[in-house]
Amino acid sequence: MNNTIVIKVIILALLLYSCSRPAEKQSTTIYDVLDNTIETKVDSLLSIMTLEEKIGQMNQYNGFWDATGPEPEEGAAAKKYEHLRKGWVGSMLNVRGVKNVRAVQKIVVEESRLGIPLIIGFDVIHGYKTISPIPLAESASWDLDAIQKSAGVAALEASAAGINWTFAPMVDISRDARWGRVMEGAGEDPFLGSRIAEARVKGFQGENLAANNTIAACAKHFAGYGFAEAGRDYNTVDIGPSTLNNIVFPPFKAATDAGVRTFMNSFNELNGIPATGNKFLQRDILKNDWEFSGFIVSDWGSITEMIAHGYAKDGKTAAEIALNAGSDMDMESYLYVEHLARLVREDKVEKHLIDDAVRRILRVKYELGLFDDPYKYCNEEREKELIGSKANHEAVLDMAKKSIVLLKNDKKLLPLKKEGQKIALIGALANDKNSPLGSWRIAADDHTAVSVLEGMQQYKKNTLVYAKGADVSLGKTAFVTETKINTTDKSEFKEAIESAQNADVVVMVLGEIGFQSGEGRSRTELDLPGVQQELLEAVYKANPNVVLVLNNGRPLAITWADEHIPAIVEAWHLGSQSGNAIAQVLYGDYNPSGKLPMSFPRNVGQVPIYYNYKNTGRPVEPDPDIVFWSHYSDQQNTPLYPFGHGLSYATFNYENLVVDSVNSSIESPQVKLSVEVTNTSDVAGKEVVQLYIRDVFASITRPVKELKGFEMISLQPGETKTVSFVLDHTTLGFYNNDNSWIVEPGEFKVFIGGSSRNTIMSNFNLD
Ligand code: BGC
C-alpha cells in the first residue's frame, strides 16, 4: 500500500470517527478541532489498526543489514525484514545516512498495510559527525545559550543524515566519578543539571519539531542510574525519597517542562524494582503527576534484563511487567512483538494500555511531520552540504573553548608567551587525534580531531618539541584494540625528560583516552592511568615549569599534581576542534571561564563526594585530638577542587552582598539579592556568579549549600557590575517525603561567589 492510499484510509477513518463522536464532542468549535488535529488523526489511525499492527509500533529494532543491499534471506535479519514488511516495527536505531534511512523507511511505507513511517533513533550524544565536547565538558561552560546551540548543531547534522530522534540528553545526576557515564551528564547538581537539560532539549527540538532540521529528544535514564552502587555501571540503586525527589528527579522534570518528547528508562533497579518494570516511576510520576504526553522507550534489552534481575521469571512475564509499568517501546528485547498479543488475549494486559502506548508513539511521529513526508529527513544534497560544514566546526570550536576549566595557575605560567619560547610538549594524548572525540561518537570518523600538537603548531614564533614519554594505559575494561593495555613501558621517558630540560616551559597532556569513560567503563582508581604519574614526576624534576593539560571523561584525583604542578588545565574530551581550543586557551587568545560541574576528589576513597552534602550531627571538630566526628583519619573531608571552581586569567572580587528586599510570605515568598563583582586584573574576563542557599532548619534536613541561581558576566579590567537574583517559591522549597513541594519558615543563609567554596554570605528569614 503506498502513501496516497494510507492518506485516503486515514481521511475515511477520520470521517467515520468524527460522525461517531458523542454529541457534546461534535459541538466543539473549529479552533478546538484545529488544536486537536494531531490527536484526532492519531485516534482515527488507531481505530483502523489491528492489535498486531499496534504492537508493531511498540517494537524497535537495531539496524541489522546493509539496508541498501540485497534483502536478507535467513536468520534474525530476515525475521526483522519480514516484520518491517508486516508493519510490526515502529522504530529502528543505528540506521544512519540518507541512503540507509530511505531504504528502511521505503519498506514500511510501501510494503506494510498502513505504511506508518518509522521513527529513526540514534545516540547523538555530543554531535553527529562534527563532534562537540562531551556533555560533562559542555556543562562546565555553565553557558546555557552555547549548550543549546551545540545541541542545535548536533540536530542539524543528524537530521541531515536521516535521523529524527536522539537518545539524549542524559540527565542522570551523579556524585560518583568512578561511574564511566558521568561523561554523558551534567555532573552532580540538580539545579545546574535542570537548566542544562532544558537547554539541550530546546537545542535538539528547536521551536518547531516538524522542521527538517530538528529532532525529538529523549531524557534518559529514568531513573536513578547515576546512583549505581560503588560507581559500577548497571549496579543496584537504593536511595530514599528525599534524594530521589530533590536530586534525581529535577532534571527529568525540567526536561518534561521544556517539552521533551521521549524518555528512556534505565538498566538499574531502584529500591528493588527494575526501572523498566517500575510503575511508580513511569506511570505514577512521569505520565500521571508530570502529565508527560510523549512515549517511553526501554533501554537496550532492558525488558529481558528483568529476568536476570530476578524480577520476571521469563520473557513473557517481562513483557507483561514492562507494559503494565508504562514502558511504551521495546528496544531490542523482541519481547513485545513476541508476547504482547497473547498477553492481551489472556487478559494479562489491558487493551487500553496498548492503545495508550501506541497513541503516544504515533503522536510524536505526527509531531515530527513523518506522516506528511516520511522521507523529509532524506535529502542527499542537504546531507552533503550540512554534515561537517565549516559553520559546524566553528560552533564546536567555540563550545570547546567555553568548556575548558583553569584549575590552577600559580607563577602566572599561563598564558604562554607567544614568542621566543622553547616549549616541550609531552604525552601520548598530545599527539592523539582520536581520544578528543571522547566516548559516544558513533558517526564520527576516527582520528579526525585536531590534536594538541596540531593546535600548538599554529603558534609559529615559539620552538615546539614533541615527545611522547609514555602510552596511556587502559586497564581491563575499555574495549579498544589500538591502544596498549596495562603498559608499563618507560623506554621513552628519557627523550621526554631531555626535551623538558631544554625547554622554557613544558606542556604535558595526560589523562584518559576517549573510550576510558562512557558506558561500561567504570574505574576503581581515579589516578592518571599507567605510568603517566611517574612520567609527570620525572619531567617535573627535570623542569618544574610544567603546565598540565588533562584529557579525561570524569573527575580525576590529581592531588600530587595540585601540590607540585604550577598550572593545571582541565580540557576533558573536547571533540573535533579540541587541539585548537586548547592552544587558544594556553596562549591567552581565549580567556577561560569554565567552572567544574562535579567535585574533584583528593583520592578515590572520598567518593561519592559532592558540595551539597548534609551536615551530620558531628560536622566539624577543629581539635585534632578528638576522634569522634565525621571525618577520615587519613585524608581531609573537602574535595581537591570543589563544584563551581574555575579560574580565569582575570581575577574577580565579590563584595556588598545585600538582601535588598524580603517578601516573607510562605505562599509566595520573594527575596531580592544583589552583589558587586569587580574585575581586579588588567585583562577582560568572564565570570560565572553563583548563588547558593542553606535552609538552616527544616522538617527534612537540607544540604549545607544548594545552588539556586547563576549568571555569567563579562567584565573589563577594573570594571564593577552589580548582579541581582530573585529567590522565590520555586527555589526556596524542597520536596518532602510525600512528594510535595514545600517552603518552610525560618532562617536561610545565602552565599554568592565564584565557586561553591569561595563565597560571601548573608541571611534572611521567612515567617
Ligand atoms: C545505553 C543507552 C543508549 C542505548 C542505545 C544503551 O546501552 O544505555 O543510553 O541510548 O544503548 O544505543
Side-chain angles (χ1 to χ4, degrees), residues 516-551:
Q516 215 145 5
S517 54
E519 187 177 350
R521 273 85 176 206
S522 296
R523 293 182 63 197
T524 61
E525 303 285 352
L526 294 173
D527 54 1
L528 298 168
V531 292
Q532 292 183 98
Q533 177 66 32
E534 283 174 69
L535 177 67
L536 177 65
E537 293 181 24
V539 168
Y540 171 78
K541 228 171 161 185
N543 184 344
N545 284 339
V546 176
V547 176
L548 171 61
V549 177
L550 295 170
N551 279 184

Side-chain angles (χ1 to χ4, degrees), residues 93 123 167 181 220-221 264 267 299-300 331 440 519:
L93 77 153
D123 290 281
F167 304 126
R181 297 195 82 167
K220 72 186 189 186
H221 306 83
M264 186 184 290
F267 290 129
D299 204 343
W300 180 288
M331 181 194 287
W440 280 120
E519 187 177 350

Side-chain angles (χ1 to χ4, degrees), residues 179-190:
W179 189 49
R181 297 195 82 167
V182 296
M183 56 77 50
E184 260 180 88
E188 73 190 34
D189 182 63

Side-chain angles (χ1 to χ4, degrees), residues 413-429:
L413 209 53
L414 291 175
L416 300 173
K417 294 192 189 89
K418 286 185 179 158
E419 276 181 46
Q421 297 279 293
K422 270 197 196 155
I423 297 185
L425 179 63
I426 296 172
L429 289 169

Side-chain angles (χ1 to χ4, degrees), residues 424-672:
L425 179 63
I426 296 172
L429 289 169
N431 190 20
D432 190 333
K433 292 173 69 59
N434 214 29
S435 265
L437 300 173
S439 217
W440 280 120
R441 36 76 162 194
I442 306 167
D445 296 324
D446 282 345
H447 304 285
T448 49
V450 177
S451 69
V452 179
L453 177 59
E454 289 168 332
M456 290 193 69
Q457 280 166 343
Q458 306 303 311
Y459 292 82
K460 298 191 187 322
K461 293 184 179 163
N462 282 337
T463 311
L464 186 68
V465 177
Y466 171 70
K468 179 166 86 173
D471 279 305
V472 179
S473 182
L474 262 178
K476 287 186 211 115
T477 55
F479 315 108
V480 178
T481 45
E482 70 211 43
T483 310
K484 289 181 189 156
I485 312 281
N486 292 333
T487 179
T488 51
D489 182 1
K490 295 190 219 165
S491 58
E492 291 181 62
F493 270 33
K494 192 165 168 276
E495 186 196 352
I497 291 166
E498 278 167 15
S499 73
Q501 275 162 345
N502 296 325
D504 299 305
V505 183
V506 183
V507 175
M508 294 189 77
V509 186
L510 305 177
E512 301 179 318
I513 69 143
F515 283 117
Q516 215 145 5
S517 54
E519 187 177 350
R521 273 85 176 206
S522 296
R523 293 182 63 197
T524 61
E525 303 285 352
L526 294 173
D527 54 1
L528 298 168
V531 292
Q532 292 183 98
Q533 177 66 32
E534 283 174 69
L535 177 67
L536 177 65
E537 293 181 24
V539 168
Y540 171 78
K541 228 171 161 185
N543 184 344
N545 284 339
V546 176
V547 176
L548 171 61
V549 177
L550 295 170
N551 279 184
N552 45 314
R554 53 155 66 82
L556 295 176
I558 49 158
T559 304
W560 184 92
D562 179 67
E563 275 165 21
H564 298 86
I565 303 298
I568 306 178
V569 175
E570 176 51 78
W572 317 103
H573 294 129
L574 290 177
S576 303
Q577 288 291 327
S578 174
N580 285 334
I582 292 169
Q584 288 178 32
V585 164
L586 294 182
Y587 275 106
D589 284 337
Y590 188 87
N591 189 353
S593 57
K595 302 277 187 181
L596 293 178
M598 262 188 106
S599 308
F600 274 43
R602 294 175 192 276
N603 64 23
V604 77
Q606 287 186 313
V607 174
I609 187 164
Y610 46 98
Y611 84 96
N612 47 356
Y613 60 89
K614 305 280 189 79
N615 211 28
T616 82
R618 297 186 177 194
V620 185
E621 180 53 68
D623 182 343
D625 294 333
I626 297 180
V627 172
F628 303 108
W629 60 288
S630 181
H631 74 303
Y632 301 103
S633 48
D634 59 354
Q635 187 50 277
Q636 301 176 45
N637 284 4
T638 57
L640 184 63
Y641 301 119
F643 174 82
H645 170 73
L647 306 174
S648 158
Y649 297 141
T651 47
F652 304 100
N653 184 48
Y654 287 74
E655 59 188 359
N656 292 333
L657 165 53
V658 179
V659 179
D660 293 312
S661 68
V662 181
N663 173 348
S664 63
S665 104
I666 282 299
E667 289 72 42
S668 54
Q670 196 179 63
V671 181
K672 293 188 173 166

